[in-house]
Every structure is written in C-alpha cells, then in structure tokens.
Amino acid sequence: MILIDTILQGVMLGGLYALFALGLSLTFGVMRLVNLAHGDLILLGSYIILTLAGSLYLPPLIAALVALPIMFVLGWALQRFLLNHALHDDILPPLIVTFGLSILIQNGLLAIFTADSRRLSLGGIEAQSFAVGPLNIGVLPLMTLLAAVLVVLLLNFVFFKTALGRAFRATSDDATTLTLMGRDTRRVFAIATGIALVVAGVAAFFLATRASINPSIGPARLIFAFEAVIIGGLGSFWGTLIGGIILGVAQTLGGSIDPEFQVLAGHLVFIAILFLRPRGLFPRAFD
Amino acid sequence: MSPVLQTHDLTAFYGDFQALFGIDMHLDEGETLAIIGANGAGKSTLLRAISGLLPHAADAVLLEGRPVGNLPAFELSHQGISMVPEGRKLFASLSVEENLKTGADAFTRPGFWSLERVYELFPILKERQHQPATSLSGGQQQMVAIGRALMSNPKVLLCDEISLGLAPVVIRDIYAALPQIREAGASVVVVEQDIGQAMKVADRVICMMEGRVTLEGTPADLSREAIHNAYFGDAA
Ligand SMILES: Nc1ncnc2c1ncn2[C@@H]1O[C@H](COP(=O)(O)OP(=O)(O)OP(=O)(O)O)[C@@H](O)[C@H]1O
Ligand SMILES: [Mg+2]
C-alpha cells in the first residue's frame, strides 16, 4: 500500500513536471526553439504572481489569473523583439540568446526579490488532503495534475481544431511555404511563445504554492522539463504529460528508497529511456 | 488595359550569385503565360522573386500598376499573388482538407473559390479529405497544391512545374482545371519544362536562359528553331 501511495504521489508530481514541460514542448514543436530560459521564465511567473498577491492583496488564484495575460504579452514580446531575430537555420544563436536571457532573469530576480525563500500561501488548502480508501490524496497535488490534463486538452484543441493550430503545425513543417499562404510566421511564432508562457504561468502558480522558491531554482526546473519532453517524445502533448508522470514516479520511488536518491533516480530513468527509445516513448512525425 | 502583373528590371541573387538579370515581363488580365527554359534558367527564381521570397526593389514588381516589390511574401499573398510552388510543398503533418484550408486561413478575398468549389474541381480530394496530404499520389498532391493556392481567390496564380513527374493522363486532368481557374478570375503563369504542353495551354510564351528572357511570343508565332535557339543559346 505504501508503494501505491508513493506511485500516486509521483503521478501527481508528474503533473507539475508536465506543466513545466508543455511550454517547452510547444515552442520546440512549432519553431524548433530550445528555450534555455524556460525554467527561469516559470520562476519569473511565480514572482509576478507573488507580487500581485503580495502588493495588490489579490487572492492567490486571482493573482494567477491576472498573471496569465501578463505572461502571454511577455512571451509575445520576447519572441517578437528578441527571439525572432535569433531564429535562423543555425540552431546556435537561439541557444546563446536564451542562455543569456536565463542569466539575466536570475540576476534580475535576485536584485529585486533577494535570495530569500518565498512561498505563495493558499490559506491552508496546500495542507489539505482527503482519503480514498487507504490512500491519502493531497488537494493541491491533485489540482496540479488536473491542471496539467486540462492544459494538454486545451493545447490539443488549439493545435488540431483551429486555424491557428493549423498554422502552428504547418509552420513546423515548412515555414516558407506558409508565408506563401499569407501567414506572417513571425506573428505565428510570437503567439506560440505567448501561449507557451501562459502555460509557464500555470506552472508558476503551482510551483510557488507547492514549496518555497528562490531566484536560483529555475535551471533545475528546465532540466525536469527537458527530461519530461524527451521521455514523452517530441511533438506530442500527451507524450509530454506521460513523460512528466514517469519522471515524477521515478523521483518519488527513488526518494522512498533514500531521499538523497530522488532527483538522481529521475535522471537515471531519463537516461535509460533515452537509451532504449532515443526518440522518446510517443514521438510524432514532427521532425 | 494595363497588365495585372509586371516586372521591371527585376534582379535576384542567391548570396553573391546573380540568378536573374533585369527581367522585364508582364501578364495581362485573364491571360495564361507560359515560362519555358532549361534546368537552371531561373524560372523558379523568377516566380520566387515575384511572390516575395527574394528581396528586390519596390518598383521591380507591379501588381495592377502598384509597386509591390518590397513587400514580404505573406503581404503579397494578401494582395492577390498565389503560388503553387515547385515540388508542391504540401504540409506533411496536415490532412488534405487542412492543407486546403491553410490557403484561406490567414487571408481570403471574396470570390469564386471555396473548399466546396475546390472539391468540385477535384472530386477525388473530397474522398481523400481526411488523409495525410503526403499519402496521396503525385497527381492528387498536385491537385491539393493547386487547390490550396486557389483558396485565397488570387488575382495571379503562379504554377511552378505542375506537370513534373506525372503521367500524361494525370497531367491532362490537372490542366483540364485551367479554364475554370481562368474563368473564376485568375490570370495564370505556368512554368513548364514540356514545351508542347506550354504551347497548348498558353496565350503567350516566354523563354528564359541563364537568368534572362531570350524569347517572347504567342505559340503561333514561335518557330521550333527560334525556341530551340532561345532554349539552348544560338548554335553560333
Ligand atoms: N537556393 C539557392 N541557392 C543558390 N543558388 C540557387 C538556389 N536556387 C537556385 N539557384 C541557382 O539559381 C539558378 C536558377 O535556378 P532556378 O531554380 O530558378 O532554375 P529553374 O529554371 O527553375 O530550373 P528547373 O527547371 O531545374 O526548376 C540556377 O543556377 C540554380 O543553381
Ligand atoms: Mg524550377
């Protein structure tokens, strides 16, 4: 029973990792952009929510909802004014630019918010849980997982049922030809990054409520996001969700053996899957 | 009547390599113009330059008399220039219907063409609407590429080697669509390797060699010898 409980905790933790990863999965799928600042952008989102809740006295959930459009505009502008200029056939410039951005955000957060740990308080919900038979399910972890599922459903709806989604997939196939169809692909990219940061904003909310944060933890979130994307296989949002869950389960199982072993166990499973299935578990014909 | 499309001293470069040397050509309203020429003559480059994929001066391309040469490709598509690119360039992860829809998603002019009309033009595409576009036969893929370009109701339709690699009976089916495309209001440029085919469909033909126009005339005017010379250079 303890084993099932541990796995269940891992599945729900996986929801958080999936939220970290879905934005990354999106920008990579649409424009082959590997955003090394993704973890720091999530963290930036957390601080935006903390600030809205702290200085404007907004309830945490309202603060998060207000942060989402801010994140969209941020992503849109980031792509429009910075990343579009770095995107060419060469994959190196976007890596360098987003790496620089990562450092910039970390130091900016440090300067403004100091290295002190902070946490978004939900007024008790974070400690609540309910029993299902012998199992104990935390309300917040369950909400995280449900949010991840909801985000996957929404992203799939946008990608496969709307004109914008057709543009996302078509630009990934052949951006030049899409311009011949009258699409300004720079705008398509800007919207994609905007949406990716909205997803990052959702992740930011759960990151800041789950445990305390400080400006230095962004890069580790990026690693977890990467691992989830790669385990799941590039180009499939359900794959990314399952990748996050596998990573979460690996970590909690590892942690149950020895707390020191938690993160390492995740990396080991990641490497094992990469070794057995180099294209991940559910690759789409995206590349 | 002023031409719907005109180029004036149009040049194009790939890096340092000059691919077009001062092209002056025009396309009249309702006309079908064929561009012929050997491999590497610059036919595709000319279409790419007109459609905005290669940069050049604003007044190098005039659409209905307006200088549009400095506009990016997506703008030119809104202005009414639509392209069936060389090699079809269908979106591989989209279905037939989705490929067609991308032609009208960003912008569409009111006009004859719609998804239903494209399906009437090429009924086989309706049967295949949910299949991945690249799972179709070559001829059917070409129909998708043409239909996709029509979806925005273009004023000018540029077709780059739509018969390449297709069986004669399939080529006939595809060119059978041309009269209706013209009737719906598009003026058409076809790039053709097959001189016989070009002569059959075009009101006027221009021949290119090494980035220049070497011959121009109506099919009736052009002798085989003149074409041969324009195609391969004078024997002399
Ligand atoms: N992307 C490119 N980069 C560099 N040079 C190019 C590029 N595309 C074409 N060229 C060169 O430009 C010239 C014209 O090529 P273009 O493709 O326009 O010829 P074409 O008449 O369409 O030939 P084909 O009948 O083979 O399609 C050729 O010498 C070709 O090698
Ligand atoms: Mg060509």
Side-chain angles (χ1 to χ4, degrees), chain B residues 17-34:
Chain B
F17 175 77
Q18 184 162 7
L20 296 180
F21 296 85
I23 303 283
D24 292 293
M25 55 85 81
H26 66 97
L27 173 70
D28 286 325
E29 182 94 48
E31 186 184 34
T32 298
L33 173 71

Side-chain angles (χ1 to χ4, degrees), chain A:
Chain A
M1 222 14 94
I2 291 178
L3 181 67
I4 293 179
D5 190 60
T6 308
I7 291 175
L8 196 65
Q9 304 308 324
V11 170
M12 293 189 290
L13 178 63
L16 183 66
Y17 292 165
L19 287 174
F20 292 163
L22 285 164
L24 205 63
S25 184
L26 192 160
T27 46
F28 186 84
V30 171
M31 63 193 109
R32 301 290 180 282
L33 175 74
V34 177
N35 185 353
L36 294 181
H38 191 71
D40 304 289
L41 286 162
I42 293 171
L43 205 57
L44 176 64
S46 295
Y47 278 100
I48 291 175
I49 297 169
L50 276 167
T51 306
L52 289 171
S55 31
L56 298 181
Y57 303 104
L58 294 179
L61 203 58
I62 303 293
L65 289 177
V66 172
L68 295 186
I70 297 177
M71 292 297 276
F72 180 87
V73 173
L74 202 68
W76 186 91
L78 184 67
Q79 186 68 40
R80 181 76 185 72
F81 298 113
L82 185 66
L83 299 179
N84 273 343
H85 300 285
L87 272 183
H88 295 286
D89 295 335
D90 191 357
I91 63 158
L92 202 52
L95 288 179
I96 295 170
V97 168
T98 55
F99 184 67
L101 186 66
S102 157
I103 295 172
L104 198 74
I105 294 172
Q106 280 175 54
N107 284 290
L109 291 177
L110 195 62
I112 300 171
F113 298 102
T114 76
D116 294 349
S117 288
R118 300 217 199 177
R119 186 168 175 181
L120 184 67
S121 168
L122 293 184
I125 296 176
E126 51 271 62
Q128 286 177 15
S129 63
F130 57 93
V132 177
L135 300 172
N136 228 355
I137 297 177
V139 171
L140 193 62
L142 184 64
M143 275 171 58
T144 313
L145 181 63
L146 292 178
V149 172
L150 189 67
V151 168
V152 171
L153 288 171
L154 285 173
L155 287 178
N156 274 338
F157 175 80
V158 170
F159 262 65
F160 295 99
K161 297 280 185 267
T162 68
L164 179 65
R166 278 196 288 280
F168 282 156
R169 287 177 293 140
T171 190
S172 154
D173 287 340
D174 183 346
T176 304
T177 299
L178 193 64
T179 66
L180 290 175
M181 303 302 130
R183 276 279 182 194
D184 182 355
T185 49
R186 293 166 310 172
R187 281 181 64 180
V188 174
F189 290 167
I191 295 170
T193 305
I195 295 176
L197 283 212
V198 169
V199 178
V202 176
F205 173 75
F206 290 105
L207 174 66
T209 49
R210 183 176 171 275
S212 30
I213 57 169
N214 68 67
S216 71
I217 67 165
R221 307 314 109 182
L222 174 72
I223 301 279
F224 296 154
F226 256 130
E227 291 182 341
V229 173
I230 307 268
I231 291 172
L234 294 170
S236 157
F237 295 124
W238 286 119
T240 301
L241 178 63
I242 292 171
I245 288 173
I246 289 172
L247 186 65
V249 170
Q251 286 193 2
T252 50
L253 284 177
S256 72
I257 296 166
D258 180 341
E260 296 272 304
F261 192 52
Q262 175 168 351
V263 173
L264 184 62
H267 294 331
L268 289 177
V269 166
F270 165 69
I271 289 168
I273 288 175
L274 204 56
F275 185 74
L276 296 171
R277 302 275 305 253
R279 288 166 53 81
L281 297 177
F282 309 97
R284 278 189 86 83
F286 242 156
D287 49 341

Side-chain angles (χ1 to χ4, degrees), chain B residues 3-91:
Chain B
V4 58
L5 181 76
Q6 216 173 344
T7 72
H8 175 64
D9 196 21
L10 178 66
T11 55
F13 295 82
Y14 293 107
D16 288 338
F17 175 77
Q18 184 162 7
L20 296 180
F21 296 85
I23 303 283
D24 292 293
M25 55 85 81
H26 66 97
L27 173 70
D28 286 325
E29 182 94 48
E31 186 184 34
T32 298
L33 173 71
I35 302 177
I36 59 173
N39 285 327
K43 308 179 297 293
S44 297
T45 304
L46 176 58
L47 295 200
R48 261 183 248 142
I50 291 172
S51 64
L53 292 179
L54 298 170
H56 40 72
D59 58 4
V61 181
L62 303 180
L63 181 65
E64 296 174 324
R66 282 168 292 122
V68 295
N70 58 340
L71 297 180
F74 77 91
E75 277 282 350
L76 281 168
S77 154
H78 299 185
Q79 300 280 330
I81 297 180
S82 200
M83 169 102 113
V84 183
E86 188 170 30
R88 307 188 277 264
K89 301 282 167 64
L90 299 184
F91 301 115

